[in-house]
Amino acid sequence: MDEIFQLSQSQLKFLNKPYRRALLQAPELSTRLCIVLGPRGIGKTTALAQHLMDQVGGDVLSREILYVQADHFLIRNRHLYEIAEHFVNIGGRVVCFDEIHKYPAWSMELKSMADTFPELKILASGSSALEIHRTSHDLSRRAVQKQVWGLSFREYLELSLDVRLSTYVLEQILSEHATISLQIVDRLAPRKILAFFNDYLRHGYYPFFFAEPNETIFQQILNQNLLATLEGDLVAVHPALTGNSIKRIDRLLRVLSTSVPFTPDLKKLTELTEIGDQRTLKTYLKLLEDSGLTRSLLRTSKGLRAMEKPEKIFLNNPNLIHAFAARADRGTLRETFFLSMLAPLHEVLAPERGDFLVNDTHVFEIGGRKKTFEQIKDAKQAFLALDEMEHGFGSRIPLWLFGFLY
């Protein structure tokens, strides 16, 4: 056990970065058993390590916290339950199991811990493809699930400039955007907000950019993460997937990425990707979305969502567009940014006219500063989210400002 503590302490010391995301204030992290899910590379490990350190006032030598990397070779031949039992017996209070989906029978072990050690607080992180209610031991009644996402534009600015900036709810942005944008731009002056926005679209969604702020290296790591998501995380969560299945899913992702936002023609898509039938294709599309690589835009909010063909399929965030394309289309970047900022907090659907319908009320058209209301002129709650402008007026809102929702 001493070697596990030593490993924990060295990893916590390395991972305990100064910048704290709002994620650390989420009430879910204070529950007895919380499983944090999200795509690879968005900072789950760092956030959980910081949370552990905060429990003991930053004392990395404390024996009341323990960080366990579930796929580490020191852990491979040990039962997580036995580690937890020993930890509790010496006064341990909070344990974190990182990359839990890579450990065999992880759901049984977490269930046993939760049932046996009521005084122990358990945190775990896993792939966003993980579905805790479909595991061999249903954890949905015991575990609270927290879905997390990458950096917002606001968080990227805070990390880049070492400043603190406020978040705003959607209704504030819609009604007070002129005042809010003026305050933010003045706060950052003489630095230009639009220059930072362009940088964010290329490399700002993933926090690991700040560990090595070199765009070439960032792209290499991002592509490695994409491969690891498909060949490692997906297979760990869905062991029935074969090598050929993963190759077809990878081919599907490449096909989608060449023409995002992609309007699905399922028959043509099965032919292009050599996937046998449309049912399998829909399964693969869901796996890509569950893994945090794509986002589907539907027209229906209720009913048979799982059976509905998406109106459009986007990549998950603008950084992925740059990872796949030598030359990224500006219009696609704009729409993908808007969706990536809104979707975590609001219901976003495809409207009859316009680009996005938010909360079944607000219709948005995304574009450059010269965009008009022509396409959404008949909508009651119509707004333009416009690129290339620091300030807006009326229902014309700067696109970058939607990056301050979280």
Side-chain angles (χ1 to χ4, degrees):
M1 190 69 184
D2 283 345
E3 60 186 359
I4 294 178
F5 264 113
Q6 290 173 3
L7 178 63
S8 170
Q9 289 163 2
S10 64
Q11 290 175 316
L12 287 174
K13 185 177 181 180
F14 172 75
L15 292 167
N16 190 30
K17 309 296 183 185
Y19 181 74
R20 257 59 174 168
R21 296 184 67 186
L23 161 64
L24 296 180
Q25 309 304 320
E28 293 91 341
L29 295 186
S30 299
T31 57
R32 277 199 58 227
L33 174 55
C34 176
I35 301 179
V36 176
L37 304 178
R40 179 181 288 267
I42 61 166
K44 300 187 301 293
T45 296
T46 297
L48 288 175
Q50 291 172 325
H51 182 76
L52 283 180
M53 293 290 283
D54 289 347
Q55 306 310 300
V56 292
D59 180 9
V60 73
L61 300 179
S62 173
R63 294 263 169 152
E64 294 185 359
I65 59 171
L66 183 66
Y67 170 85
V68 180
Q69 187 178 332
D71 61 342
H72 195 278
F73 76 93
L74 283 177
I75 311 301
R76 190 174 301 157
N77 296 320
R78 301 172 186 259
H79 289 291
L80 301 184
Y81 178 89
E82 292 176 355
I83 293 174
E85 181 179 38
H86 186 92
F87 180 56
V88 168
N89 288 338
I90 62 172
R93 293 191 300 112
V94 190
V95 62
C96 174
F97 297 102
D98 200 11
E99 297 284 282
I100 194 70
H101 60 281
K102 295 184 179 179
Y103 185 89
W106 62 270
S107 59
M108 179 187 70
E109 301 245 9
L110 289 187
K111 175 182 179 296
S112 299
M113 289 178 217
D115 291 346
T116 309
F117 309 119
E119 69 276 31
L120 180 64
K121 180 180 169 184
I122 306 165
L123 296 167
S125 80
S127 165
S128 56
L130 210 59
E131 295 178 317
I132 65 174
H133 63 281
R134 296 184 64 181
T135 59
S136 56
H137 293 77
D138 187 353
L139 291 173
S140 58
R141 294 183 181 180
R142 292 174 175 82
V144 173
Q145 182 175 311
K146 173 63 178 175
Q147 192 75 36
V148 297
W149 42 83
L151 295 176
S152 68
F153 180 46
R154 178 192 67 85
E155 291 175 311
Y156 173 76
L157 288 170
E158 289 189 335
L159 269 167
S160 299
L161 302 174
D162 192 24
V163 297
R164 281 291 171 181
L165 300 165
S166 299
T167 59
Y168 302 93
V169 299
L170 180 60
E171 292 301 330
Q172 284 179 292
I173 291 177
L174 298 184
S175 61
E176 305 170 31
H177 62 87
T179 300
I180 294 171
S181 65
L182 183 63
Q183 291 172 345
I184 295 171
V185 170
D186 285 351
R187 173 85 185 277
L188 300 184
R191 295 160 295 201
K192 297 297 184 181
I193 191 90
L194 295 181
F196 281 101
F197 183 60
N198 288 331
D199 290 342
Y200 174 84
L201 296 178
R202 290 197 309 273
H203 58 240
Y205 191 79
Y206 296 93
F208 64 80
F209 172 78
F210 290 93
E212 184 63 61
N214 177 290
E215 204 152 306
T216 300
I217 295 175
F218 170 78
Q219 291 293 339
Q220 291 174 350
I221 296 174
L222 182 54
N223 276 281
Q224 290 169 6
N225 281 349
L226 293 175
L227 191 62
T229 297
L230 296 177
E231 296 184 353
D233 298 342
L234 267 183
V235 173
V237 176
H238 301 280
L241 288 173
T242 65
N244 284 334
S245 298
I246 295 299
K247 287 179 181 177
R248 291 190 179 100
I249 294 171
D250 178 67
R251 188 179 301 126
L252 174 60
L253 179 61
R254 306 288 164 178
V255 169
L256 294 175
S257 68
T258 58
S259 55
V260 288
F262 189 90
T263 303
D265 179 335
L266 298 186
K267 182 179 178 181
K268 184 177 180 181
L269 206 48
T270 54
E271 295 171 354
L272 287 173
T273 56
E274 300 179 14
I275 295 172
D277 56 81
Q278 291 188 20
R279 182 176 179 180
T280 303
L281 174 63
K282 288 181 180 179
T283 298
Y284 289 172
L285 288 172
K286 184 177 186 303
L287 289 177
L288 285 175
E289 183 161 17
D290 289 347
S291 299
L293 298 178
T294 63
R295 294 182 192 271
S296 294
L297 189 67
L298 304 179
R299 212 173 268 286
T300 305
S301 60
K302 299 180 178 64
L304 304 176
R305 283 177 63 92
M307 300 179 64
E308 182 185 352
K309 185 185 79 169
E311 287 295 314
K312 291 182 180 179
I313 299 174
F314 293 79
L315 292 180
N316 178 272
N317 63 80
N319 294 180
L320 291 180
I321 297 175
H322 283 284
F324 283 110
R327 188 174 182 179
D329 177 74
R330 188 69 184 187
T332 301
L333 288 170
R334 293 164 178 161
E335 292 183 19
T336 304
F337 167 79
F338 183 88
L339 184 59
S340 68
M341 295 295 100
L342 271 290
L345 302 171
H346 300 275
E347 181 181 69
V348 185
L349 300 172
E352 291 295 332
R353 290 196 172 189
D355 291 320
F356 301 104
L357 173 64
V358 178
N359 298 336
D360 207 28
T361 303
H362 308 303
V363 176
F364 288 89
E365 183 78 7
I366 317 299
R369 62 187 307 160
K370 295 183 180 180
K371 189 79 174 182
T372 70
F373 282 91
E374 180 61 28
Q375 290 178 272
I376 54 175
K377 60 184 179 182
D378 297 326
K380 291 182 180 179
Q381 293 284 335
F383 299 88
L384 298 179
L386 302 180
D387 194 8
E388 303 163 337
M389 56 190 297
E390 288 187 345
H391 308 291
F393 55 92
S395 297
R396 300 167 63 87
I397 305 172
L399 177 62
W400 61 263
L401 192 51
F402 293 93
F404 281 69
L405 287 168
Y406 71 86

